[in-house]
Amino acid sequence: MEIFKKRFDIRWSDLDANRHVANSAYMNFMSHTRMAYLIDHGFSHRDMEKFRVGPVLFYEHIYYFREVLAGQTIDVSLLLKGLSRDGMFFEFEHEIFGEDGTHHLSAELMGGFIDLDTRKLTPLAEERIHSVFNDLHRTDDFRWLTREDTRKRR
């Protein structure tokens, strides 16, 4: 199974005052990559509206290694780090590499799906879990998530 990736060219608007990519731009690249994967696997905004569910994030941790500058091109990967058996909770990992192979950052995030009417966490239908998550490359440390895994404390 091939790792899902999206390629981005760094634009002027992606930069911060230090003339490197802004934190918020990285978050947008990763969010765009996740949504591109979901859309490719039959779970678009329209589908989420139809099924009355939407994704929410509990946390997002970013680990920076090398800065990215204007004019560079990056590849953002998406891997499945964890999933609850009912599809309610997910954990993703992103890696960002430059065209030259430079590892710029790693990120991990956890979230879940909410019912758009009740605004409460909700499981996904079994066929949706299979259609969305079966093709997503899993990390070596993939784990089945429980509700307790979503309550990390420092």
Side-chain angles (χ1 to χ4, degrees):
M1 170 181 338
E2 197 168 312
I3 294 175
F4 185 84
K5 294 179 186 173
K6 285 293 285 181
R7 178 162 281 185
F8 298 91
D9 293 323
I10 303 305
R11 306 160 303 169
W12 177 259
S13 60
D14 297 322
L15 306 179
D16 64 13
N18 294 318
R19 298 186 354 221
H20 59 210
V21 173
N23 180 34
S24 59
Y26 286 120
M27 294 171 81
N28 287 331
F29 295 143
M30 292 183 288
S31 176
H32 184 91
T33 300
R34 291 189 302 273
M35 283 309 303
Y37 175 83
L38 292 174
I39 290 166
D40 284 355
H41 287 78
F43 206 27
S44 68
H45 282 98
R46 183 170 286 146
D47 295 314
M48 290 181 200
E49 176 65 26
K50 178 175 138 184
F51 296 114
R52 305 297 299 146
V53 298
V56 295
L57 292 185
F58 303 150
Y59 68 79
E60 188 168 21
H61 297 159
I62 301 175
Y63 306 94
Y64 298 97
F65 307 123
R66 297 270 188 247
E67 65 184 351
V68 177
L69 305 172
Q72 290 184 278
T73 299
I74 58 170
D75 289 314
V76 180
S77 66
L78 174 65
L79 298 103
L80 186 61
K81 189 173 178 65
L83 183 68
S84 62
R85 294 193 186 273
D86 63 2
M88 183 183 300
F89 305 114
F90 53 80
E91 190 173 24
F92 293 130
E93 180 176 292
H94 290 284
E95 302 291 340
I96 295 183
F97 286 89
E99 280 185 304
D100 65 356
T102 300
H103 190 195
H104 292 284
L105 73 78
S106 293
E108 57 189 25
L109 62 96
M110 184 180 284
F113 288 97
I114 62 168
D115 180 299
L116 295 177
D117 297 317
T118 66
R119 312 306 287 178
K120 295 186 184 299
L121 289 164
T122 188
L124 295 179
E126 190 169 332
E127 63 272 5
R128 183 71 42 206
I129 296 168
H130 293 298
S131 68
V132 172
F133 294 110
N134 276 0
D135 288 342
L136 188 53
H137 190 86
R138 294 179 179 192
T139 61
D140 290 339
D141 61 348
F142 171 85
R143 63 191 175 135
W144 290 106
L145 299 174
T146 65
R147 183 175 295 276
E148 290 73 35
D149 294 317
T150 69
R151 305 293 178 224
K152 288 187 176 181
R153 291 179 177 47
R154 292 199 138 168

